[in-house]
Amino acid sequence: MLSAIFLCASCSEDEDIIKKEDSMKPNTEIPTENGGGTNNSPAGNIFTTNSTVDDVISNPAFGDFGYLLFPVDRNISRSMTLADISSSSVYIWYSHIQPEKTVEIINRLYNDAIAGKKIFYRIYSDAEIAADPSKADTGLFLFRGNAGKPFAITNAGGGFMYVGAMHDSFPHSLEISKAGYSAFALIYRPDDPYSDLARAIEFIHDNASDLGVKSEDYSLWGGSAGARMSAVLGNQAYLQQLTGRTDIPQASAIIMQYTGYTQASQYDAPTYVCVGSNDGIASWRTMQNRLQRLSAMGIPTEFHVYEGLGHGFGIGTGTVADGWVNDALKFWQKNMKTSGSAGIPPVYAD
């Protein structure tokens, strides 16, 4: 039997990370900048960089959940274009945001929806939402892969202040789906993130057949705050504690980006890490140190530090980190059916 472990959302040494993020919080009022943008969308897609937030939210394809595509904890004008919103002024702490990727994501989900594929799932029942209306602002956006394969859950960061999904989990889910695996991007409540991720894991496990995924060998992905969520629920003891269940298997791999999470135990899952050498929020040395401790326990790890990159580079398009998602996919695949330790390679700049 696994021993119980006390859980705190921002405790131990990594509390300093959240304090640092708190000190950087700007005014949440987002100005409208209707400067437009270049239409770089492929022919046949209806949304462009000139489409507005309201165009997306109001489209019937996105039902009553379209607003969750954008940060609900940021005061965003619905008249902003997709070019306007693809900015660090909206997605604070993030860099290298690509308007074209925003457009690609929304068109992908739109096209799946009009083709009759369900793209969004509530993780709480109507009764639970009625009892706690905050649970209405949660759910899973599904980027479909091939049926019967393991799934991934991606968790965006945002300093536990907001959910930066458009840059920090939707692009990851899109790339994972292109590799043939279904990926669920979680929209969670910043003040109760671990409960929402635990419920999401339960939901997918209990509905795996209907969702067309394999319930074993799944992976948890996350950046910044989302990375520590993935690490916590990737720990077998925490997983059982937070779900209250012993029948749900542990994740086969945890994919983490730029976080100061420091806890490590024998119950942690195989872990892949990538971070920039110039990250002023999450030190690469902190992340490397944790992986070295995991490796010493016989847990497979892989570590990448990218020279010159700062915090929040997402999938790294156009940077030295471009392509890291493929490395992470290989790490996940390697650990789907093996418990051997791969150790920690030396630090290098890709």
Side-chain angles (χ1 to χ4, degrees):
M1 176 180 292
L2 298 174
S3 59
I5 300 178
F6 176 73
L7 177 64
C8 174
S10 57
C11 54
S12 75
E13 299 174 24
D14 54 309
E15 183 177 2
D16 291 338
I17 304 301
I18 296 302
K19 288 181 178 178
K20 185 166 186 176
E21 290 177 344
D22 282 340
S23 69
M24 297 168 62
K25 289 180 182 177
N27 189 315
T28 57
E29 179 68 32
I30 306 300
T32 300
E33 302 172 358
N34 286 315
T38 303
N39 178 3
N40 293 313
S41 296
N45 289 328
I46 72 165
F47 296 104
T48 73
T49 51
N50 292 318
S51 301
T52 65
V53 171
D54 187 66
D55 290 337
V56 176
I57 293 176
S58 301
N59 192 288
F62 298 118
D64 64 351
F65 55 83
Y67 74 101
L68 293 175
L69 288 163
F70 307 100
V72 298
D73 298 290
R74 302 277 283 140
N75 191 7
I76 294 170
S77 170
R78 290 173 67 131
S79 64
M80 293 180 74
T81 68
L82 298 184
D84 293 337
I85 204 171
S86 302
S87 164
S88 296
S89 67
V90 175
Y91 296 96
I92 56 172
W93 304 308
Y94 287 109
S95 60
H96 302 89
I97 301 170
Q98 305 285 327
E100 297 78 13
K101 184 59 67 175
T102 300
V103 170
E104 181 184 1
I105 287 162
I106 292 174
N107 277 312
R108 161 64 185 274
L109 290 170
Y110 169 79
N111 286 320
D112 280 358
I114 63 173
K117 301 174 183 177
K118 192 167 182 177
I119 60 171
F120 181 77
Y121 293 86
R122 298 282 179 189
I123 57 176
Y124 292 106
S125 68
D126 291 343
E128 288 172 313
I129 292 173
D132 182 356
S134 73
K135 291 179 177 177
D137 291 338
T138 67
L140 293 163
F141 282 97
L142 173 56
F143 293 74
R144 293 181 183 273
N146 298 329
K149 299 189 74 172
F151 66 90
I153 300 178
T154 61
N155 305 281
F160 295 119
M161 186 188 84
Y162 77 104
V163 180
M166 193 61 73
H167 179 64
D168 211 31
S169 64
F170 289 164
H172 303 65
S173 291
L174 179 62
E175 296 307 307
I176 294 166
S177 72
K178 289 177 181 179
Y181 300 99
S182 289
F184 298 84
L186 174 64
I187 307 300
Y188 59 88
R189 294 168 295 168
D191 59 353
D192 203 359
Y194 301 107
S195 295
D196 291 343
L197 179 52
R199 173 56 70 94
I201 293 170
E202 287 186 83
F203 176 85
I204 299 171
H205 178 270
D206 292 344
N207 297 280
S209 180
D210 291 340
L211 293 169
V213 298
K214 179 182 176 183
S215 60
E216 300 84 13
D217 285 329
Y218 66 94
S219 59
L220 300 177
W221 299 53
S224 200
R228 66 185 66 214
M229 289 167 59
S230 299
V232 168
L233 269 297
N235 178 289
Q236 190 177 6
Y238 282 149
L239 176 68
Q240 293 185 10
Q241 176 183 325
L242 288 164
T243 62
R245 297 171 57 168
T246 59
D247 61 316
I248 299 176
Q250 183 179 21
S252 291
I254 306 302
I255 312 299
M256 303 176 66
Q257 293 184 273
Y258 34 75
T259 184
Y261 186 76
T262 59
Q263 295 185 42
S265 87
Q266 61 183 310
Y267 302 123
D268 285 322
T271 301
Y272 174 102
V273 160
C274 66
V275 62
S277 66
N278 287 354
D279 195 321
I281 296 175
S283 168
W284 64 265
R285 292 178 178 85
T286 298
M287 301 193 79
Q288 183 193 39
N289 178 268
R290 178 173 182 264
L291 285 201
Q292 288 172 332
R293 290 157 60 201
L294 293 179
S295 183
M297 298 175 197
I299 298 171
T301 64
E302 185 172 330
F303 181 76
H304 297 259
V305 58
Y306 297 106
E307 186 65 36
L309 277 188
H311 194 74
F313 54 82
I315 60 173
T317 302
T319 75
V320 293
D322 204 343
W324 76 263
V325 171
N326 292 327
D327 292 335
L329 285 166
K330 291 175 184 176
F331 179 83
W332 176 23
Q333 292 165 342
K334 183 171 63 176
N335 286 286
M336 283 182 181
K337 294 182 179 179
T338 178
S339 58
S341 174
I344 179 169
V347 179
Y348 65 95
D350 285 13

